[in-house]
Amino acid sequence: MKLALKILKYLVGIAVLLVAVGFLLPSTYSAQRSVTINAPAEKVFPLVANHKEWKRWSVWNQRDPNMQMTYSGPEMAVGSKWSWKSLSEGNGGMEFSAVEPNKRVGYILTMEDMAPATGDLKFTPEGAATKVTWDINGNAGMNPVFRWFGVFMDKMIGPDFEAGLKNLKKLAESA
């Protein structure tokens, strides 16, 4: 009984320490990945700027082909929106906040129980090729648990960005 009480005290102490450290962690997080696609921006941009095209290259749609998608707003313009429901990928939505033809698509990402995050897909010419850079930035607020997630966000979402960009590259180069 004394051993169990001692173990319980240590576990509570560790939990309190983790929460306290969580408050000291940065509230912001970010992730970024890039790929060079052997195609001009005019060919790559429509695959990103048209919200209905994401299902062709996004890794999240490939993981859950039964994801329920709902689209609204104009195509390839500020205000393009879509939302999804997925048992494996979570529920959320995205809205384009900026669309600069062949240069940039800005977005606002919302996921259940999390504050919105912002990001961009930027297109940089490199000769006949295009470098596409995908980034995301968010704020975990005062929640110490979300701040812990922020520490690992690059490692959690970075591989998904890499896989999506790899799919985008394959799609753009084969078309």
Side-chain angles (χ1 to χ4, degrees):
M1 185 68 152
K2 287 183 181 183
L3 179 61
L5 189 58
K6 197 177 218 182
I7 291 172
L8 182 61
K9 284 181 184 180
Y10 281 120
L11 291 175
V12 169
I14 290 171
V16 168
L17 180 64
L18 288 173
V19 169
V21 169
F23 280 112
L24 299 174
L25 294 172
S27 63
T28 59
Y29 61 86
S30 64
Q32 182 182 79
R33 297 294 189 275
S34 297
V35 69
T36 299
I37 299 174
N38 295 316
E42 295 81 17
K43 193 172 181 182
V44 181
F45 183 80
L47 297 171
V48 174
N50 184 336
H51 56 288
K52 293 180 180 175
E53 291 288 333
W54 281 57
K55 64 184 171 192
R56 294 179 63 199
W57 58 269
S58 168
V59 69
W60 303 300
N61 290 90
Q62 292 176 353
R63 279 195 208 128
D64 183 2
N66 296 319
M67 185 181 289
Q68 296 175 7
M69 306 289 289
T70 304
Y71 300 97
S72 64
E75 287 187 13
M76 297 181 67
V78 171
S80 292
K81 297 178 186 178
W82 69 102
S83 60
W84 58 86
K85 292 185 179 190
S86 170
L87 293 176
S88 65
E89 303 306 301
N91 301 330
M94 188 177 283
E95 179 177 355
F96 288 160
S97 57
V99 177
E100 299 173 35
N102 303 322
K103 293 182 181 177
R104 173 179 168 252
V105 174
Y107 64 87
I108 300 167
L109 173 69
T110 55
M111 296 294 291
E112 277 186 347
D113 302 325
M114 293 185 72
T118 60
D120 288 292
L121 284 108
K122 294 179 185 159
F123 304 82
T124 307
E126 291 189 343
T130 304
K131 180 179 179 181
V132 179
T133 302
W134 189 358
D135 68 51
I136 189 167
N137 302 288
N139 192 318
M142 291 302 296
N143 186 320
V145 175
F146 286 162
R147 285 182 176 209
W148 276 106
F149 276 110
V151 170
F152 301 103
M153 188 61 73
D154 186 73
K155 291 200 183 322
M156 291 182 339
I157 202 165
D160 288 351
F161 279 15
E162 289 170 9
L165 289 170
K166 181 179 176 184
N167 293 340
L168 180 63
K169 176 180 173 73
K170 183 177 178 182
L171 184 62
E173 290 178 352
S174 68

